[in-house]
Amino acid sequence: MVSLKWIFGAVLLPVCLSAQTPRGDGPRGEGRRFTAEEMAKRTTEWMTEELKLTAEQTAPVDSVNLLFAQAQQVLFQSAEGDREKLRESVTALNREKEKALSAVLTEEQLALYRKKIGEQAANRRRQRP
């Protein structure tokens, strides 16, 4: 069984990548990297607003987000520039995170979460040169 760390990071990647602040010093305006704690906080805030999390759901969702943000950072550091390896690892991590979130979210919230994540991914693909 895959650990919760892998599950949480998998879902956070799209949110984390879209949350980067542009520096403007690179050819494509690469952004600064947020800490795992910052990414988890931003993701939880996004989920609270978009999915209308209850007070009881916020703490467990935040824990899941932090665990997966930390796992994601490890993946980025260990990828050694191998984008294909990173993509595969992040995809697996996102699947595991969704499984962990399914224990906390309602079916309606989970469906909305999947829809929003899909929309974010589609928007990123359209923005690529």
Side-chain angles (χ1 to χ4, degrees):
M1 183 167 136
V2 179
S3 73
L4 287 179
K5 289 182 181 180
W6 291 104
I7 295 172
F8 292 111
V11 177
L12 285 179
L13 179 67
V15 174
C16 296
L17 291 177
S18 67
Q20 292 181 353
T21 304
R23 285 189 315 227
D25 60 354
R28 294 171 45 199
E30 292 86 1
R32 78 170 180 92
R33 298 268 184 222
F34 290 98
T35 66
E37 291 76 15
E38 290 170 328
M39 289 189 299
K41 181 181 177 200
R42 291 173 66 101
T43 303
T44 300
E45 288 171 355
W46 174 83
M47 291 176 73
T48 299
E49 182 177 322
E50 295 293 326
L51 306 180
K52 309 294 186 230
L53 298 181
T54 65
E56 295 80 25
Q57 290 174 309
T58 303
V61 165
D62 192 48
S63 295
V64 168
N65 287 336
L66 179 58
L67 186 60
F68 279 93
Q70 291 168 336
Q72 180 184 354
Q73 281 188 336
V74 170
L75 286 178
F76 279 121
Q77 293 168 354
S78 66
E80 300 174 351
D82 186 346
R83 294 184 69 140
E84 183 61 27
K85 175 184 171 184
L86 179 62
R87 186 179 62 76
E88 291 172 6
S89 297
V90 168
T91 299
L93 188 62
N94 284 332
R95 279 190 222 114
E96 293 299 319
K97 182 179 178 183
E98 189 174 307
K99 286 179 191 175
L101 288 171
S102 69
V104 179
L105 302 177
T106 66
E107 288 184 29
E108 293 81 16
Q109 288 171 319
L110 189 58
L112 182 57
Y113 174 79
R114 289 175 178 145
K115 178 184 174 196
K116 296 282 185 182
I117 292 298
E119 289 171 356
Q120 288 178 351
N123 287 338
R124 280 191 310 280
R125 282 190 295 271
R126 282 193 297 268
Q127 292 174 355
R128 288 186 187 144

